[in-house]
Amino acid sequence: MKPTEIYEKLTDIFRDVFFEDDLVLSPETTAEDVDGWDSLTHIRLVLAVSKAFGVKFSASEIGNLKNVGEFVGLIEKKTPA
């Protein structure tokens, strides 16, 4: 899956999880940039992404992510081309 496709799908998921229809993601987006991104919504987000992309993440993979760009890279590695 191409990064642009991942960003499109991920943006829809973020907008749904955070109830923010105009949310725009960039590779540099972090939890500090999104209102309401706390530990509970983080879990909801990871579960939604896992389901939408049909992939599983380990706790260490998720814990090491610094921003959306790294999340996209992780999803890209786990999805077929």
Side-chain angles (χ1 to χ4, degrees):
M1 194 170 223
K2 295 179 183 176
T4 54
E5 296 169 319
I6 295 171
Y7 273 103
E8 285 178 25
K9 199 169 186 178
L10 207 53
T11 297
D12 289 339
I13 296 166
F14 268 73
R15 288 176 177 175
D16 185 50
V17 168
F18 294 104
F19 305 106
E20 196 173 323
D21 293 338
D22 58 350
L23 183 65
V24 177
L25 298 179
S26 75
E28 295 81 24
T29 301
T30 66
E32 293 177 4
D33 300 322
V34 181
D35 287 338
W37 191 343
D38 57 20
S39 58
L40 181 59
T41 52
H42 186 74
I43 293 167
R44 288 182 35 225
L45 176 66
V46 171
L47 291 173
V49 170
S50 180
K51 183 177 179 181
F53 287 94
V55 295
K56 292 185 180 188
F57 304 103
S58 71
S60 64
E61 287 173 327
I62 294 301
N64 290 328
L65 296 175
K66 294 178 181 64
N67 55 42
V68 170
E70 290 185 8
F71 202 8
V72 169
L74 180 59
I75 294 166
E76 188 177 15
K77 284 183 201 172
K78 291 183 171 274
T79 55

